[in-house]
Amino acid sequence: MAETEAALRTLAHNVRSARTRAGLSLDELGRRAKVSKGSLFALEKAQGNPNFATLVRLADTLGISVSALMEGATQDRVRVVSGDSVMPLWAGEQGSEARLMLTTSGPAPVEVWRWKLQPGEEYPSHPHQAGVVETVSVTEGRMVLVVDGVEYSVEAGETATFDGDVTHTYRGEGDQTCHLIMTVHLPPGPA
């Protein structure tokens, strides 16, 4: 429980700092991110439990990565992250999940995600900010990637990339669990 409270405090601090750097009021950030002012107020007070979609909309609106909202300052030159140490940011009803492993630093950060998709289970994503590019590399199983209404089959050993500024969906396909590594390449933005 203490880890959850610490994570909420870090998230609250990072959202408030990013909003202040961007010169946005709670009302304006809420309007742009499509999040209620009350939810933002609670979030900045380290209260509530924002869902994955809310975190993505806030990060996109603020021009930063999801992990920049969630992580404290790093102090080591090399970060090694165990998948078991990272809580899923999305969990499907059938056992699918998405874990944000880490985000690289620099002016154009890259998020590295580990996904597990059960057959038939899907995650629909809203369009990201212009300039976001996603790459999915299937390591086991098969998935269907739907980008702007068009379906693409991606199997183990294959990689697909697309501009993330349109609606897109990830769906497990076949009769076994699909495992994939996703990278989200963010455009240069505020630090």
Side-chain angles (χ1 to χ4, degrees):
M1 197 59 129
E3 287 180 11
T4 302
E5 291 172 5
L8 272 174
R9 284 193 304 273
T10 298
L11 176 62
H13 174 268
N14 292 344
V15 168
R16 188 172 39 257
S17 295
R19 179 179 62 77
T20 301
R21 277 193 312 273
L24 298 174
S25 66
L26 281 172
D27 285 329
E28 184 61 17
L29 177 57
R31 186 186 67 73
R32 291 182 186 184
K34 297 181 175 77
V35 176
S36 74
K37 180 181 177 182
S39 294
L40 283 174
F41 182 79
L43 179 60
E44 288 192 6
K45 296 290 184 192
Q47 300 168 350
N49 186 17
N51 65 30
F52 177 50
T54 298
L55 294 175
V56 171
R57 285 194 309 272
L58 286 171
D60 281 349
T61 302
L62 293 166
I64 60 177
S65 67
V66 172
S67 63
L69 289 178
M70 303 188 63
E71 293 178 349
T74 59
Q75 298 167 2
D76 296 331
R77 289 184 74 121
V78 175
R79 267 188 302 165
V80 177
V81 180
S82 165
D84 296 335
S85 70
V86 178
M87 297 298 296
L89 286 180
W90 171 75
E93 293 180 8
Q94 300 170 11
S96 298
E97 63 182 30
R99 295 173 189 251
L100 176 57
M101 301 303 296
L102 60 85
T103 302
T104 62
S105 59
V110 177
E111 297 176 345
V112 179
W113 293 80
R114 286 178 58 185
W115 283 72
K116 178 172 67 172
L117 293 169
Q118 298 300 337
E121 192 159 32
E122 65 181 34
Y123 178 81
S125 180
H126 73 284
H128 301 296
Q129 63 178 317
V132 170
V133 175
E134 292 194 20
T135 301
V136 293
S137 296
V138 176
T139 59
E140 191 177 326
R142 188 171 80 222
M143 72 174 290
V144 170
L145 173 64
V146 183
V147 178
D148 207 17
V150 180
E151 294 188 1
Y152 302 88
S153 179
V154 187
E155 300 188 20
E158 295 182 329
T159 300
T161 188
F162 62 96
D163 292 335
D165 60 353
V166 295
T167 58
H168 48 284
T169 300
Y170 324 104
R171 182 174 64 234
E173 194 71 15
D175 57 3
Q176 72 180 63
T177 303
C178 175
H179 294 269
L180 63 105
I181 303 295
M182 174 197 298
T183 58
V184 179
H185 303 258
L186 302 166

